Amino acid sequence: MTVRTRFAPSPTGYLHIGGVRTALFNWLFARKHGGQFILRIDDTDQQRNVAEALAPILSGFRWLGIDWDEGAEVGGPHGPYYQSQKSARYQDAVRQLIDKGLAYHDFATPEELKAERESAEKEKRSYLYSRKWLAETPADRARFEAEGRKSTVRLKMPRAGTCRFHDHIRGDMAIDWVSEQDHVIQRADGSCLYNLANVVDDFDMKITHVIRAEEHLSNTARQIFIAQGLGYPLPEYAHVPFVAEPGSKNKLSKRKIAQYLKNQDFKKIYEHGQNIAAVLGLTTSADTFNPVIVDFFEQVGYLPHAIVNYLLLLGWSLDDKTEFFTREEMIKSFSLERVNKAPASYDPSKLWAFQDHHMRALPLADKVERCLPFMHKAGHAADAAKVELIIRAAGDRIKVAGDILDYADFFAPDHALKYDEKAFDKRLRKAPESVRLLTAYKDRLAGIEPFDAAKLEKSVQDFVAAEGTKLEQIIHALRVAVTGKAVGFGLYEALAIVGKQGCVKRIEVALAKIGN
């Protein structure tokens, strides 16, 4: 048997990291067993679907390196891979179930159904539809239609016995059929609902393992009923735990960002991303740009592998000590049997630690390749050689690729450098001795060869000794004049990156600013 798994996102919004975790488990299982991973699009709910929302979903998976063998934009022998394109196929399945007496046309109105539910509540009994408006014959249908009623199609679920199946994560399951309602599988307008479409698609696409979020566990019995009624072989099931909110056991939601911002670790990541987005001129809001959406991490400059490595360990573990995996190690090690049943809490500080680890381990050339586009997006004519020098000097200060923007002033025109006005006031405007020293030192810069950190450090030390003053009398003024800031990586590395002519020009501009 060739293993075939699938993930079926709905194009109703941005790609949620909880969904990514489920897709990742499907992808890893398929890759480990030499099978195929299918990405199909669950767009049966046309009222909620947003066409433009599909692009960031597909882009997000590609960015994360979760590729698919068949599906949206790829095609394959078992399409269509969009549920909206399979209406006729679903209608045929509905007819088969009706013909077998496993489904029926129901002409109850919403008001009549509501009355039945309220009656059950009043009598303190479990609600079970009476099937009073069931139409089993053409004559029944004609009578109801003559009354102006419209019909849905419902499953005619068993009302005795037990549905049994095995779940790779939760073990042997048993669900009493009487607990299942007569679920609607076709709306009055003829469109079909998720439970039917899902079963038909899994059969058509030869899915062998249904690995999905635990909230779908409640769908399994009705889907087994549909599959058996249509004569389909059953796939194997595995229901993974949901990703929980930070510090909570409630399901993580992209609609509760305001609540999550009370978590200081979450807030720190969120504000860090917002600062980078502001420099890039991105239009953002907490609803569409936050650390539960993949697009956030991509635009801020996280490493996709760091995200994937972290998500792998949300509900799965190899042992009690191994945290960091290569992609190949993930595939080799993954198994459904090691997935935990309990929800896994999303920990922003842990995610940050994974990003920090993988960023530190990234080769310098790869860091340059990831950081350089951020300079270009911000409108700076940056070159790779200079970005490399900045990355070397900044070291571990660059946690995500977008952090390179903190050093955009190295690419600013010398005459247009922006200053930290508080630092400028303290270190230059109100420090006449520092200004005198800076003016005198400026003339020494032309004679420094080579213009590197080591030579610059010796030059400043020699100058201070000759002047009979302390080092701090000039270094703070020199940093503010050349970089515009009071703090940063090594001063001499910064001077070397700006270059001889740039340093001279920037000092002249700073001195002129004091005079003005």
Side-chain angles (χ1 to χ4, degrees), residues 2 26 79 101 133 249 261 307 313 321 344 350 369 377 388 398:
T2 299
N26 276 276
W133 295 273
K249 293 185 178 180
L261 287 175
I307 305 298
L313 298 176
K321 60 182 183 294
K350 189 72 171 177
E369 184 180 355
K377 289 175 186 177
E388 179 176 327
I398 296 181

Side-chain angles (χ1 to χ4, degrees), residues 21 170 214 241-244 248-250 314-315 340-345:
R21 197 280 308 268
R170 298 165 191 281
E214 68 173 287
F242 60 75
V243 177
S248 169
K249 293 185 178 180
N250 298 320
L314 280 181
N340 201 318
K341 296 179 184 179
S345 179

